[in-house]
Amino acid sequence: QVQLVESGGGSVQAGGSLRLSCAASGSIFRINVVGWYRQPPGKQRELVATITSRGNTNYANSVKGRFTISRDNAKNTVHLQMDSLKPEDTAVYYCNYVNPDIRGAWGQGTQVTVSS
């Protein structure tokens, strides 16, 4: 069973920082692309950042230069360092496999709230 658990969310003021963590179970983690997604209130879920098994990264234009995704295959973990946060970053953040054939159910996510 595919399982990923998010943590590290919280409430911060604009310009602040947060570091999100994602812990995965199973042996498939180290060979698959993992992404961070977010869903603002009343909006669709969107892809924020991805990282391949070898560490190649890609970012949505809205977060490029502010967010950094990383992974530790030995520990089955992925992180999202978020700097210079804006109110528009407010959302529930999720981690999951990018490949829909591998991706299982969405987890609970972690809430990020950025105030002015």
Side-chain angles (χ1 to χ4, degrees):
Q1 178 68 45
V2 176
Q3 185 175 9
L4 301 94
V5 180
E6 306 91 345
S7 63
S11 298
V12 298
Q13 294 183 348
S17 298
L18 284 173
R19 187 170 188 259
L20 307 183
S21 298
C22 173
S25 61
S27 61
I28 67 171
F29 174 85
R30 64 181 181 84
I31 62 173
N32 285 286
V33 180
V34 177
W36 280 98
Y37 303 76
R38 69 184 182 187
Q39 186 168 22
K43 298 182 179 180
Q44 297 288 331
R45 184 184 292 110
E46 63 179 346
L47 183 61
V48 174
T50 63
I51 184 166
T52 70
S53 62
R54 292 184 176 272
N56 293 328
T57 60
N58 193 46
Y59 300 91
N61 289 333
S62 59
V63 307
K64 193 172 298 182
R66 300 188 298 119
F67 291 9
T68 303
I69 186 173
S70 61
R71 70 189 294 166
D72 186 336
N73 290 334
K75 297 181 178 179
N76 273 21
T77 58
V78 178
H79 298 92
L80 185 67
Q81 178 66 44
M82 305 185 295
D83 299 318
S84 301
L85 283 163
K86 306 175 180 179
E88 65 193 75
D89 296 319
T90 295
V92 178
Y93 283 71
Y94 305 86
C95 65
N96 215 328
Y97 299 104
V98 174
N99 188 340
D101 295 327
I102 300 175
R103 182 170 63 231
W106 295 95
Q108 187 174 358
T110 185
Q111 176 71 50
V112 171
T113 302
V114 185
S115 62
S116 300

